[in-house]
Amino acid sequence: MTTAAHSPAIENWRPPARRAAAIAFVVGAALLGLCLILALFAPQRVFQAYLYGYLYWWTATMGCLALALLHNLTGGAWGSAIRPFLYGGIATLAVLAVMFLPLTLGLPQIFEWAHFERFDPALAQDDPILADKVNHYLNIPFFLVRAVVYFVIWFGAAAIARRGARRASALALSMVILGISFASIDWGMSLEPHWFSTIYGGLFLAGGAVSAMALSIVSVGALSPPLLPHDRRSADVTNDLGNLLLAFVMVWTYFSFSQFIIIWSGNLPEENVWYLRRSVHGWQWVAIAIALFHFAAPFLLLLSRDLKRNPKTLMLVALGLLVMRSIDLFWIIVPAFENHGWTGFLLDFLALAGIGAIWVGVYCWSLKPLPEAGRHHAKRSAKRKGAVA
Amino acid sequence: MSTLQENPPPSSRRGPIIDPDYNFGSVTDKISSIVLTPGTHMGWWLGFGASFLLVMVMLWSIAVLFARGIGVWGLNVPVGWAFDITNFVWWIGIGHAGTLISAILLLLRQDWRTSINRFAEAMTLFAVSCALLYPLLHLGRPSYFYFLIPYPATHGVWPQFRSPLIWDFFAVGTYGTVSLLFWYVGLIPDLATLRDRARNRYAAIIYGILAMGWRNSARHWMRYQKAYLLLAGLATPLVVSVHTIVSFDFAAGIVPGWHVTIFPPYFVAGAIYSGFAMVLTLAIPLRAAYGLQGLVTERHLDNMAKVMLTAGLVVAYGYLMEAFMSWYSGNVFEQYVMLNRLQGPYRYTYWALLICNIIIPQLLWSRAVRSSPIALFILSLIINVGMWLERFVIIAVSLHRDFLPSSWDMYTPTFWEWSLYIGTIGLFLSLLFLFIRLLPMISIFEVRELLVEEAHRESE
């Protein structure tokens, strides 16, 4: 083994053609334009679909940010291999911040609590619990202030993620985790403003880690064949990536199942409504599909060592998980809205694809051979490998 | 997996895992001499004697309990669980660090685990033994404990399979069994070393029987490694499952303050937190007393401190979410639980818990604190206290004021509850003293293996 096992491959690695990014931008603009036209007819449904699509890509970005910070703390070949892709994901933060703005226009269309003013005496009469929340937490001004705070945290953390200082990364990771948790409460949980669950933020954290890891594996498999000559060492790296994906899938399952079993056992009306709403009108089949294909199938497949050592087969599992992430979020978010039938659901996936095309465009556009910190990591691992070999 | 180890975190720059002056011979001499040297230190006798005295206190408390019933405890109608279950959860939690160190860190190829895994596993076993006492004693009629086992009895009484208490029975039972097997299998090659080195004939025979005919052949090693890895794989899910199910004991109920969806991961993190605190509480005096600073180095202490800090932050996240949601829920009972913790009659326990578990441990961010054994020792004691308080706050403070103010009551532990608790600490320490004197507290063969690996790395 030469001193720099992957280094020549990494140095020669070229990011995907910017043309791919340009095509993605055009597709995204077209799809979002279509959404805009449809918004003339059904503004409420379009805003709701937009929120769903937005949350999917937001969790992916958050996962990339958290994993990059985590890698600054732990080190490891897995992170050096996917760092360019994690940076690509982090680079979408700016476009996510911009794409958040349309949501702010439609808050009353999306959130029940946004229909009310603070200290509305009629609401206090009809629904004192909601009134209390509207007065102190779930109101448009405070919601916007919090969103600004979250984005400040994430932009700050993104800068730290690139520099890679350990203690700063640890602090940044803690803040990012708090930001994701509270943002998921604001943007997801408050759709059903009476419902609450302390592990809800955890579901988004674990889901984001699955998304980011799956995305990185797909990118490794699709975009960087030179990183993956079929030697033993690169198979070890893909094996590690597969193990981490498996670990995150298990954490996600653990959180999801814990929430379910605790609420099921308690069977309190204020909590079980969330699951009741998601177990009728066909949603129960979605739930079963999630259990089978977001947990059982990937879990069993990812136990196989051969599968994990082959970037192509691992990529297929990761692709499947990226699809299932959208189904999982669909099941978490969309039942909160009034049921609009199949055409309404098509709109959800239209928005998901539109935002996704823009996201993927930015992602591809900003992929660099290896940003500075990545190069630093590669050098460090090369040096260490030199010491071993 | 091997790549995880090729890129050790940058902390490897700080000090070696093992003092480089050690070689094969001196490692074996150093560790086995603690066991095989005839004559026992006065210090050991004092420590063991004091602990054993506490075991007597425990037996006395149990005798009183059996003779007079659980009325000797301070339990009452809203507070049906208090010291007993608090101590059960506390002890079970402590055990988790042992399993994490021995199984998960083994699978992750974190080679710094090697010097601490043996006594951390022993600690797990002893902590689980102490924990198991409490539910049995709390049954009221402990002689009927086997009713928990689902066997086809003629009386046709089956346990309630929907109850987390029965899951707990299986979880803790599996945990105890797997931990014991893992610990014993890990001991076999070292028992053979002791057999070969023992000069006392009886010692040689006893260690020989325990070593089960280990002859150090290549085939033995091959099978051994496979069995050890398999056991590690079996033990790994237990790190999460046991305390998850312990958390279900509470969360599956509807008592405000118990019915919290974040409990499973938050309990697991708390278990790791208190477990690592206990490992430090034990390791720091032990390495000083037996001159093991070259084997349990500052790197070990530093790494354990970092794991502790991480687990502590997860616990803090749990507290924060609990506090936020109790307000956000809009449910008056949920809100009152938090108010009662902050301002109620037991407010001192909650504030002390925040100080012990959240505020003081932030000192661990400082490298100076992490590299000072004395500071770490004090911190680990504080965290042990804090984690005990956490369980007390969750269990007793939630129960004493639940729904109807007319059924509220205060709980005060009686002398017999304190004596039983202190007694189990005595049991834990006595077992630990016996272990130190009779078995190698650091894995000899794994440290030797590590020396080879280190030398290999150096030479290339």
Side-chain angles (χ1 to χ4, degrees), chain B residues 196-345:
Chain B
D196 297 343
R197 295 173 70 95
R199 263 174 252 138
N200 178 320
R201 184 155 168 72
Y202 295 106
I205 290 174
I206 292 169
Y207 288 125
I209 291 171
L210 291 173
M212 298 212 292
W214 181 264
R215 283 184 311 281
N216 219 18
S217 80
R219 186 172 297 173
H220 279 182
W221 278 110
M222 195 188 74
R223 292 194 177 137
Y224 176 83
Q225 293 289 5
K226 205 170 271 175
Y228 199 59
L229 271 179
L230 278 175
L231 279 172
L234 270 178
T236 297
L238 293 173
V239 177
V240 176
S241 69
V242 177
H243 232 61
T244 296
I245 288 175
V246 169
S247 81
F248 285 162
D249 290 345
F250 308 103
I254 55 165
V255 178
W258 283 18
H259 187 62
V260 181
T261 50
I262 204 161
F263 262 16
Y266 150 40
F267 266 53
V268 171
I272 291 164
Y273 195 33
S274 65
F276 271 80
M278 188 57 101
V279 174
L280 282 174
T281 308
L282 301 176
I284 291 169
L286 274 181
R287 75 199 267 276
Y290 288 99
L292 298 171
Q293 286 91 341
L295 293 171
V296 181
T297 56
E298 301 214 335
R299 265 269 318 272
H300 290 100
L301 302 185
D302 184 62
N303 282 349
M304 284 194 274
K306 282 178 187 160
V307 174
M308 218 157 68
L309 177 61
T310 312
L313 290 173
V314 178
V315 169
Y317 177 88
Y319 295 161
L320 177 70
M321 278 299 150
E322 227 183 351
F324 174 74
M325 283 299 166
S326 73
W327 171 77
Y328 178 89
S329 71
N331 177 318
V332 285
F333 301 109
E334 294 285 342
Q335 290 177 338
Y336 185 72
V337 164
M338 213 58 220
L339 268 180
N340 188 40
R341 284 181 187 176
L342 292 168
Q343 301 169 354

Side-chain angles (χ1 to χ4, degrees), chain A residues 177-333:
Chain A
I177 286 173
L178 286 180
I180 297 173
S181 304
F182 281 94
S184 63
I185 292 168
D186 281 2
W187 303 347
M189 198 165 90
S190 78
L191 288 169
E192 287 146 288
H194 291 92
W195 186 77
F196 56 93
S197 166
T198 40
I199 207 173
Y200 193 83
L203 295 180
F204 278 73
L205 289 169
V210 172
S211 293
M213 189 42 83
L215 193 78
S216 301
I217 288 172
V218 170
S219 308
V220 166
L223 299 178
S224 58
L227 282 182
L228 302 159
H230 275 273
D231 68 6
R232 219 177 52 88
R233 209 167 274 273
S234 70
D236 284 341
V237 177
T238 47
N239 194 25
D240 283 352
L241 295 178
N243 281 332
L244 282 169
L245 185 64
L246 174 62
F248 293 141
V249 166
M250 281 165 35
V251 170
W252 171 87
T253 310
Y254 173 55
F255 288 180
S256 309
F257 185 68
S258 297
Q259 175 178 283
F260 171 70
I261 200 149
I262 289 170
I263 290 179
W264 172 80
S265 324
N267 205 16
L268 294 172
E270 59 190 6
E271 292 177 351
N272 65 14
V273 282
W274 198 84
Y275 282 104
L276 289 180
R277 205 170 288 146
R278 285 160 182 76
S279 55
V280 289
H281 304 311
W283 288 113
Q284 68 272 36
W285 304 113
V286 181
I288 291 169
I290 292 170
L292 288 178
F293 299 107
H294 200 312
F295 168 63
F299 173 76
L300 293 173
L301 288 171
L302 288 172
L303 290 176
S304 154
R305 201 173 151 78
D306 290 341
L307 182 145
K308 281 179 290 196
R309 298 181 78 82
N310 180 342
K312 292 293 164 201
T313 49
L314 184 61
M315 185 173 113
L316 287 178
V317 176
L319 262 180
L321 272 169
L322 281 177
V323 172
M324 286 317 295
R325 287 295 312 131
S326 74
I327 305 294
D328 177 46
L329 217 55
F330 183 64
W331 185 76
I332 288 179
I333 299 295

